[in-house]
Amino acid sequence: MLKTARLLWLPLLLLAPPPGRAEPALEMPVGKVVLVISGQISNKNRDNEAVFDMAMLSKLPQHTIVTHTPWMPGVSRFSGPYLRDVLNLVGAKGQTLKAVALNDYKTDIPIDDAARFGLVLARLLNDKPMSVRDKGPLFIIYPFDSQPELRAEIYYNRSAWQLKSLQVE
């Protein structure tokens, strides 16, 4: 009986990935794709890209930045996953993100900004989904009020609203 039990487990062991080496599988979007990540990534779910619908982004841990911006009066609440969590999920390996908006605005963001400043890939503004008219559906937001150095044109320019894609380079 013992030899039979060992033989039954052998195929399962051969199929299992080595411990600590497997990336979690990236699920397939069910709804409308709102973000496409391409370039130097190792975890893909469509051809050579990682694509996300809003439901996939909402399943990640959510974080909020409460800050002033040059585009909105007063203080605003931006909520969504940390950009670094999204980049980790797709296995991003580059140095720079080329962010592209729906209106084809493009900006380069150093990948280390995501961890250094705790950037949020905002999907909610003041606890409500953002329409395209309200700079949505996605907005890369810096915590401008957290550090004086972030209240500068360079960081304002990196805050891409109406985000549609990220190219990891």
Side-chain angles (χ1 to χ4, degrees):
M1 180 73 174
L2 187 55
K3 287 182 183 180
T4 305
R6 283 186 193 159
L7 292 175
L8 290 175
W9 283 100
L10 185 59
L12 294 176
L13 291 173
L14 293 175
L15 293 175
R21 307 268 327 252
E23 290 180 334
L26 192 57
E27 66 182 88
M28 293 298 294
V30 175
K32 178 183 175 189
V33 171
V34 294
L35 179 64
V36 176
I37 303 177
S38 58
Q40 295 180 40
I41 62 173
S42 58
N43 202 4
K44 304 162 187 161
N45 60 358
R46 181 178 78 183
D47 301 322
N48 285 322
E49 305 169 324
V51 295
F52 292 84
D53 63 14
M54 203 58 80
M56 293 167 67
L57 295 171
S58 69
K59 288 179 186 175
L60 296 171
Q62 303 294 293
H63 304 276
T64 298
I65 292 176
V66 179
T67 191
H68 290 89
T69 74
W71 314 286
M72 298 169 185
V75 175
S76 299
R77 291 175 51 90
F78 296 92
S79 302
Y82 279 136
L83 181 58
R84 70 176 175 239
D85 291 347
V86 176
L87 296 174
N88 286 338
L89 185 61
V90 301
K93 304 291 185 216
Q95 301 296 313
T96 304
L97 296 173
K98 287 204 175 289
V100 180
L102 293 172
N103 66 358
D104 290 328
Y105 172 80
K106 295 176 180 73
T107 188
D108 290 344
I109 304 168
I111 282 187
D112 65 342
D113 275 13
R116 181 175 171 210
F117 298 118
L119 304 184
V120 164
L121 181 58
R123 49 182 210 82
L124 301 176
L125 171 61
N126 298 323
D127 302 318
K128 295 183 179 156
M130 291 181 282
S131 68
V132 172
R133 174 173 278 184
D134 293 326
K135 303 192 180 335
L138 298 173
F139 193 155
I140 294 176
I141 195 77
Y142 282 75
F144 298 114
D145 290 350
S146 69
Q147 299 176 41
E149 73 178 282
L150 293 177
R151 291 188 291 274
E153 199 66 29
I154 189 168
Y155 297 106
Y156 296 147
N157 290 340
R158 291 177 184 172
S159 291
W161 62 71
Q162 296 176 338
L163 181 70
K164 71 175 178 182
S165 67
L166 294 169
Q167 171 81 23
V168 181
E169 299 180 340

